[in-house]
Amino acid sequence: MSIILIPLPSFDFDPTETAVPWQILTGCDHEVRFATPDGKPAQADARMLHGSGLGPWKELLRADDNGRAAYASMIASPEFMRPLSYDQINIAEVDAIGLPGGHAAGMKTYLESHQLQATVAAAFTRQLPVGAICHGVILAARSRGADGRSVLHGRRTTALTRTLELSGWALTALWLGNYYRTYPITVQEEVTRALAHPNDFQEGPMALLRDSPTHLERGFVVRDGNYLSARWPGDAHRFAHEFAAMLDERV
């Protein structure tokens, strides 16, 4: 059994990118510990859960049945209800780190946390398995090693692609403004700037359908040593299964 730390912001994290990995990892008898800024249970992005304000694109953009069911189970779990605070994180007490994403404004406290960036950098230094999906890759990209470079410098990765990010924005900008634009530059652009070479960012095939327990092949992930990355909620099942396999390799 491994202990996996999943840090979250106080609110606005993506429900699928957090709950599906939690469900799969705990189903493999691993222990998941959550951490939030103040040690209180986090709240997911309600729009991604319920589809409010997504207009005609509600069923396309919100969490699907698999994601919502996993989320309902996760928020009832003791580990979710009793998270650590960021101040209580001790990297020596965990075996791996998972970094979920989310694009709404509340994610910024997580993405910009120097405490979390230092924790992620320490995980890379210790060669622990690190898995990041969607905007979670930004947190990894902002984490600096002893040489001052991003821990992703010299590694291959994926993340939320420019196409996916701008598609969500274009479909909803008329009434939601920049809800889908967390920062002025895209996730892909920021992450690529942290890499040794632009072609170390891998976009993968066109994301047309979400993966599922029975269709893992629809998901796309990139593995580079002890680091695993994925693009969006539609990759979450494959991402979680491959992360669990990485943990099994260390036993």
Side-chain angles (χ1 to χ4, degrees):
M1 181 191 77
S2 296
I3 299 172
I4 302 99
L5 173 69
I6 298 183
L8 295 171
S10 294
F11 56 94
D12 278 347
F13 67 89
D14 184 86
T16 303
E17 294 170 0
T18 306
V20 167
W22 167 84
Q23 183 180 61
I24 292 170
L25 291 169
T26 56
C28 294
D29 293 325
H30 296 299
E31 178 183 341
V32 174
R33 296 178 182 174
F34 293 97
T36 61
D38 55 6
K40 297 179 181 179
Q43 299 178 43
D45 181 348
R47 183 165 282 135
M48 287 294 95
L49 271 177
H50 308 298
S52 55
L54 295 177
W57 311 112
K58 173 180 176 179
E59 296 306 318
L60 174 67
L61 298 175
R62 74 167 180 168
D64 64 8
D65 290 344
N66 290 316
R68 296 198 303 276
Y71 179 78
S73 296
M74 182 185 73
I75 62 173
S77 68
E79 57 266 31
F80 185 83
M81 293 303 297
R82 294 195 295 268
L84 302 168
S85 68
Y86 287 176
D87 289 337
Q88 293 174 314
I89 293 174
N90 182 349
I91 192 65
E93 296 179 350
V94 301
D95 302 303
I97 294 183
L99 304 176
H103 53 265
M107 284 294 293
K108 290 183 179 180
T109 58
Y110 160 87
L111 298 173
E112 297 171 6
S113 168
H114 295 298
Q115 286 175 295
L116 293 185
Q117 291 168 20
T119 297
V120 173
F124 274 89
T125 298
R126 290 171 173 260
Q127 299 185 337
L128 301 183
V130 176
I133 181 169
C134 195
H135 282 64
V137 181
I138 289 183
L139 178 52
R142 292 176 176 178
S143 302
R144 303 282 171 177
D147 60 2
R149 290 176 171 175
S150 168
V151 295
L152 298 187
H153 188 87
R155 291 182 181 263
R156 294 176 296 109
T157 190
T158 191
L160 182 68
T161 63
R162 181 179 185 276
T163 298
L164 283 167
E165 183 172 355
L166 294 185
S167 294
W169 172 76
L171 289 173
T172 61
L174 184 62
W175 61 92
L176 292 182
N178 285 332
Y179 165 68
Y180 270 97
R181 299 299 311 280
T182 314
Y183 294 104
I185 65 172
T186 64
V187 172
Q188 180 172 344
E189 183 178 353
E190 178 171 351
V191 170
T192 300
R193 289 179 181 179
L195 306 179
H197 304 286
N199 58 4
D200 285 341
F201 188 98
Q202 300 185 8
E203 296 186 29
M206 187 174 295
L208 297 175
L209 296 171
R210 295 177 186 237
D211 67 7
S212 69
T214 56
H215 288 287
L216 297 181
E217 77 282 355
R218 294 175 181 169
F220 175 74
V221 299
V222 174
R223 180 175 177 180
D224 190 322
N226 63 312
Y227 169 64
L228 184 73
S229 57
R231 304 169 300 179
W232 71 306
D235 296 330
H237 289 85
R238 182 172 178 184
F239 170 77
H241 278 287
E242 297 213 14
F243 196 53
M246 287 174 59
L247 297 176
D248 291 342
E249 292 174 7
R250 297 173 63 87
V251 175

